[in-house]
Amino acid sequence: MEKEAIDFSLEENEEKDLQLALNLSILVPKEKRRLSDSQGDSSNSSLSDSQENSQGSENNESIPLWRFNRIRRVPKEANQFSISLQEIFDSSEEILSTVITTYDLDLEWLLENIPLIQLVPTIIVHGHQKEEHKEVGKMKMYCPPLPIPYGTHHGKMFIIYYKSRVRIAISTSNLNAKDYERKTQGIWMEDFPLKEKDSPASSEFEITLRDYVKRIKVDDTPLASFDFSKTKAILITSIPGYFQGQNMFKYGHLSLQRHL
């Protein structure tokens, strides 16, 4: 069976950028990698047991924005700055709904670790193109459509909606035991409050996040209620397709170039 080819040629005097995958990256300036810029020496930033187990919705100034995943059966000091999957889904406040994106998905493992996602509206977007759209209880699972015949969905993110905030976590890990429990992974996580009367109408982070969410066929309108203007992170997304002009600098490596 012949596969449809992508035309990589450029028309005369024309520049194009080709993106193949749906993906997410986070940049945080070195001096802003904590919830508080005035935190001081990073040697004082380790989490106590009580902090690790009771983060809740508190903006604890000792919690770094960048964390490692919690790996089993390793010395305690090896899990410094770590966070478990269960802690990402903070249940100190009622979770209203969630959006989960990944490439590889072990649903049985995920439900064993986060059973509460069966109880609230949950959308799981994955990269398994051959799997059909599925609905199990309140969960919907699908692979987003791609505008070109190559590439895949590869972004790994959690959007967790609460009444008074939304939690965004972007990870390097697939949702399976091998990646989360046996490999070192990175997780960026931050909570964002509801907008107030004097909050900016929008921000670059919000625009980029909502654009990505729409691209994976998820309703982005709930994100408009939250204030992302104070985040210290820069969100960079990859979107499949051809881009020209200023649109070339909205995604992928050219977006990274623009921010460096």
Side-chain angles (χ1 to χ4, degrees), residues 56-70:
S57 59
E58 298 178 4
N59 279 337
N60 192 311
E61 293 186 352
S62 68
I63 299 176
L65 294 171
W66 285 100
R67 308 287 292 275
F68 294 118
N69 58 310
R70 186 80 42 78

Side-chain angles (χ1 to χ4, degrees), residues 104-120:
D104 188 46
L105 172 65
D106 182 340
L107 183 60
E108 183 178 349
W109 174 86
L110 179 62
L111 294 180
E112 182 180 308
N113 282 273
I114 312 294
L116 64 84
I117 63 174
Q118 301 175 85
L119 307 177
V120 299

Side-chain angles (χ1 to χ4, degrees), residues 25-258:
S25 302
I26 280 287
L27 293 177
V28 180
K30 186 175 181 181
E31 71 276 10
K32 296 181 179 180
R33 290 181 182 172
R34 307 187 61 76
L35 293 179
S36 170
D37 289 346
S38 60
Q39 183 61 27
D41 189 351
S42 61
S43 62
N44 295 324
S45 62
S46 60
L47 297 179
S48 68
D49 290 340
S50 60
Q51 288 171 327
E52 287 183 342
N53 295 324
S54 61
Q55 289 178 34
S57 59
E58 298 178 4
N59 279 337
N60 192 311
E61 293 186 352
S62 68
I63 299 176
L65 294 171
W66 285 100
R67 308 287 292 275
F68 294 118
N69 58 310
R70 186 80 42 78
I71 297 178
R72 295 182 178 181
R73 294 186 291 275
V74 298
K76 185 177 180 180
E77 56 269 20
N79 272 322
Q80 189 179 23
F81 305 121
S82 69
I83 187 170
S84 68
L85 190 60
Q86 292 81 4
E87 288 171 330
I88 293 175
F89 286 80
D90 168 34
S91 58
S92 65
E93 183 180 344
E94 181 185 2
I95 293 176
L96 303 180
S97 63
T98 69
V99 177
I100 300 171
T101 76
T102 185
Y103 169 67
D104 188 46
L105 172 65
D106 182 340
L107 183 60
E108 183 178 349
W109 174 86
L110 179 62
L111 294 180
E112 182 180 308
N113 282 273
I114 312 294
L116 64 84
I117 63 174
Q118 301 175 85
L119 307 177
V120 299
T122 295
I123 297 174
I124 301 176
V125 181
H126 56 73
H128 294 172
Q129 298 182 37
K130 294 182 179 180
E131 291 192 9
E132 296 180 356
H133 181 107
K134 294 181 180 179
E135 294 192 20
V136 180
K138 295 185 178 182
M139 295 189 302
K140 297 180 180 180
M141 293 163 281
Y142 62 89
C143 179
L146 299 172
I148 54 179
Y150 297 92
T152 186
H153 177 268
H154 217 270
K156 304 168 182 73
M157 174 172 63
F158 304 101
I159 303 176
I160 307 171
Y161 290 103
Y162 299 89
K163 186 176 181 179
S164 62
R165 61 187 168 115
V166 64
R167 170 165 289 185
I168 309 294
I170 295 176
S171 169
T172 62
S173 179
N174 287 299
L175 290 175
N176 58 47
K178 180 175 67 174
D179 272 20
Y180 253 97
E181 298 173 6
R182 303 171 202 165
K183 297 179 181 179
T184 298
Q185 306 284 354
I187 301 166
W188 168 87
M189 186 176 75
E190 193 166 345
D191 290 349
F192 300 94
L194 288 167
K195 286 178 179 174
E196 299 179 352
K197 290 183 179 180
D198 58 348
S199 297
S202 188
S203 62
E204 183 175 4
F205 188 97
E206 179 184 335
I207 292 168
T208 304
L209 177 62
R210 292 185 64 181
D211 176 64
Y212 186 87
V213 168
K214 283 188 289 188
R215 299 272 186 168
I216 60 174
K217 306 303 179 184
V218 174
D219 183 15
D220 68 302
T221 53
L223 292 168
S225 300
F226 300 95
D227 184 0
F228 299 93
S229 63
K230 294 182 175 62
T231 185
K232 300 164 187 179
I234 299 168
L235 179 62
I236 296 174
T237 62
S238 294
I239 304 296
Y242 287 106
F243 300 95
Q244 297 174 266
Q246 290 303 310
N247 284 336
M248 291 196 304
F249 298 91
K250 290 175 64 176
Y251 308 111
H253 63 287
L254 290 179
S255 176
L256 176 63
Q257 177 189 23
R258 179 168 61 90

